[in-house]
Amino acid sequence: MSIEYNYLDDLNEMQRQAVEYCDGPSLVIASAGSGKTRVLTYKIAHLLNLGYEPWSIMALTFTNKAANVMKERIEKLIGEGGAQYLWMGTFHSIFLRILRYDCSLIGFKPNFTIYDQASSESLVKTIIKEMELDDKIYNHKSILSKISNLKSKLITVSEYEGDITSIKKDFINQIPEFHKIYSKYVDRCKLSNSMDFDDILVYTYQLFNENPEIQHKYSSRFKYILVDEYQDTNFVQHRIINQLSSNDNNICVVGDDSQSIYSFRGANVTNILKFNNEYPNYRLFKLEQNYRSTKTIVNAANSVISHNKNKIEKVAFSDNEQGNKLPLYEASSDIEESIYVANRIAYLHEKEHLDFSSFAILYRTNAQSRVFEEALRKKSFPYIVFGGLSFYQRKEIKDFISYLRLIFNHNDEDAFKRVVNYPKRGIGQTTINKIVDISISSNKGIWEVLSELDGNTVKISKSTLSKIQEFKIMIEGFSSKMNEENILNLSKLILQESGIVHDLYSDMSLDGKARQENLEELLNAINSFVEIRKEEGDENIFLQDYLSEVSLLSDIDESNDDDNCIKLMTIHSAKGLEFNTVFVVGLEENLFPSIRNGSENELEEERRLFYVALTRAAKRCFLSYATLRYRYGKSEFTTASRFISEIASQYINRISVKNDSNSKQTITNKKFSWLTRLENKQKEIKERNLEIKQHNWETTRKRTEAVTSASHTESVNHNSVYDVSVGDYILHDRFGKGLIEKIEGNDMQCKAIVCFEQFGTKQLLLKFAKFKKI
């Protein structure tokens, strides 16, 4: 094929060298924003132009989207249909094609089917039930996750059963029968002539390994192999690539060791770090020019990643504008952090006319989205939780809130259907449908139907009927406490006695851990709700109070236009994306980095994750952390992430509200900034206090005592019980720094009117308020 214009002129010098080299193995290290996809696309076009047949080129990607983008770009270079016969696609799609031809050699028929995640989970669940194992201990999702991990490492059933250390570990973890489940799962898949997603890779490797003539057939057929995102390959993918490239060693892998962040999926960064060991005569090309970000952002990211020891040396650079330093904001709480981010977005949207689509808020864990969602809601800003559901739309959250709804309103049909068999208690969908049908046909509420239910009126087994009555008694028991226990204590009771905690915490898969974090964050939200109401003087905070609040929060506007929304996502979800302005939040030890076993490898991956976060930003990158964060239903003091100190100081601008002009009240369209108001108020208070002192101290003292004893609604200047005075600065656990403008009441019912930097004026009942004088 020929290309009419000199396409190589589109490339910079290093990109061009990487594209033109086709005489052996090559490793292209592509820094963030350096044109990785362009190099792959142009290299394939160049191979075609050199005379390679399309069907002799294999290009492996991790997503269908990446493959489709490359195909479109290739066709723009060489003409429509030019990419039609390329073997280009995801690892699974390409290897599935190979297995269809030769699967009989490994014991499968060509019409084998593929199990999706749900089918695989169902089979594991069935096996656990057949073996009469406790499904609370042998959680099917955790078991399947463990099986998947073993397959990605090419550890067969026989190898696992022969590993004494692994068998002993299973005994310690109370799953001694795991190896039998693994064996039965593999056998049942074969018996069904089915493969799961992991099997597509495992059996491709087995096909080549056990049939050298088949391996030779494909390694001879593919004259050139290209692999995208090579740093994300796992062990089995790496081995298959070795098998396919064994003939001519004409292979080009592209990736960035600094962006290897998926070890929890089995990705092995050593595949790219040790590429030279597999292919000693390889050529190395470094794409170091960043076309996305400002010089400051690129240099800041470089200074962070330089702390990793296991890496391929490179120094990214940018010819873009210098750009501003990275603002670093220290918030007094996670709520204040969310307000700060929302205010900055408001300012940039209003003053610099940036679309909402220009902004992304990146966090370490999904559970962190809640406070930012609520801050954005209060400003009526459109947003979307990218790569996941909004916090209050997640299943585990909706399930629990449905419990609250049913406890408060027994005839809530939707809530009833959602929780009557969650966690599973043996009440099937057929039974649930019968109950709902009776309710509709008899025009009676769900609870009245349950009260009258017996084996004569409807065909329900005695066992099922007993389970329904047990559920009914449990809900009524919760209802009896809803006006006695505050909502936080009631919630904890529901979580324990309903079995939700046991159900969620028995699932140790990655998804299971995410659901646990979400549930803990919901308790944080409830705890925060209770404490705020207490501080405002309401000592009785019950179920109906919280339901009134949460019903508004969970009423998501589903019509948000994805094209003009603020994006909220985990950093893992953000890889491969870019935004004008990025907020990297929650930069605290034990949150980011999140280190479970304390290993150096784990820390280095967390650092790579931070590098990915920084390099998503084109123009601006804001950093923030909180000195106090609500976790596990209580407030915890935190320390700044070590990664902050690893950014070279010349690229950081440490800010506070006082020197951050954009977070003052100009954002909320008030006449004066908060700081001006605070200074004026402080001056007014000082002048008033001075006047009191100069004129009549004794009269003031007697008046204060009289007013204090007469009525708690009168104003005073000082409260001795809590040692606070009008004019004092305080630091509140949740609201941050504020100035006491007024004190009302006496003794234990004393209230303070406080003007906070980020939250405006609040009334606090001092016996519940969590603060200290500063």
Side-chain angles (χ1 to χ4, degrees), residues 16 43 93 111 123 148 190 221 278 328 332 455 475 486 509 519 523 536 567 594 616 637 735 756 763:
R16 181 167 183 155
K43 192 172 185 75
S93 66
N111 65 337
L123 177 55
S148 177
K190 283 188 175 180
R221 172 174 184 161
E278 300 284 348
L328 171 64
S332 61
I475 295 298
N486 75 33
S509 67
L519 194 62
L523 283 181
E536 291 174 347
K567 307 297 192 299
S594 172
R616 298 312 92 197
F637 288 103
F735 303 131
F756 290 100
Q763 176 179 279

Side-chain angles (χ1 to χ4, degrees), residues 141-150 160 170 175 178:
K141 292 184 179 180
S142 297
I143 296 297
L144 184 60
S145 177
K146 186 176 173 68
I147 290 172
S148 177
N149 185 51
L150 292 172
Y160 190 82
D170 286 343
I175 52 170
F178 167 77

Side-chain angles (χ1 to χ4, degrees), residues 223 472 536:
K223 304 299 182 184
K472 180 174 178 288
E536 291 174 347

Side-chain angles (χ1 to χ4, degrees), residues 182-194:
Y182 184 15
S183 178
K184 288 178 180 293
Y185 176 78
V186 171
D187 291 343
R188 292 280 278 275
C189 284
K190 283 188 175 180
L191 186 63
S192 300
N193 195 39
S194 300

Side-chain angles (χ1 to χ4, degrees), residues 367 369-370 373 389-394 397 518 521-522:
S369 75
R370 180 187 64 84
E373 289 185 63
L389 292 171
S390 173
F391 183 81
Y392 287 99
Q393 292 298 304
R394 292 166 187 162
I397 304 303
N518 290 336
E521 181 60 23
L522 180 63

Side-chain angles (χ1 to χ4, degrees), residues 286-348:
K286 298 179 183 180
L287 307 183
E288 296 172 301
Q289 183 170 358
N290 182 305
Y291 290 93
R292 175 189 303 153
S293 307
T294 64
K295 292 179 180 178
T296 299
I297 291 173
V298 171
N299 291 335
N302 282 342
S303 64
V304 170
I305 204 64
S306 66
H307 288 79
N308 271 9
K309 297 176 182 178
N310 298 309
K311 63 181 184 296
I312 296 171
E313 292 295 340
K314 57 185 175 298
V315 180
F317 68 93
S318 173
D319 285 340
N320 295 336
E321 61 182 316
Q322 185 65 43
N324 297 324
K325 292 182 178 182
L326 281 62
L328 171 64
Y329 183 73
E330 178 189 287
S332 61
S333 69
D334 50 349
I335 297 178
E336 182 183 300
E337 181 185 34
S338 69
I339 297 296
Y340 162 75
V341 170
N343 283 348
R344 292 303 309 221
I345 291 174
Y347 176 83
L348 292 170

Side-chain angles (χ1 to χ4, degrees), residues 273-291:
L273 293 176
K274 303 298 183 182
F275 184 81
N276 60 319
N277 293 345
E278 300 284 348
Y279 305 93
N281 60 333
Y282 85 115
R283 283 280 301 276
L284 174 64
F285 301 94
K286 298 179 183 180
L287 307 183
E288 296 172 301
Q289 183 170 358
N290 182 305
Y291 290 93

Side-chain angles (χ1 to χ4, degrees), residues 630-644:
Y630 274 79
R631 301 186 73 182
Y632 315 117
K634 63 180 181 180
S635 58
E636 293 181 353
F637 288 103
T638 63
T639 56
S641 168
R642 69 189 75 187
F643 296 153
I644 292 173

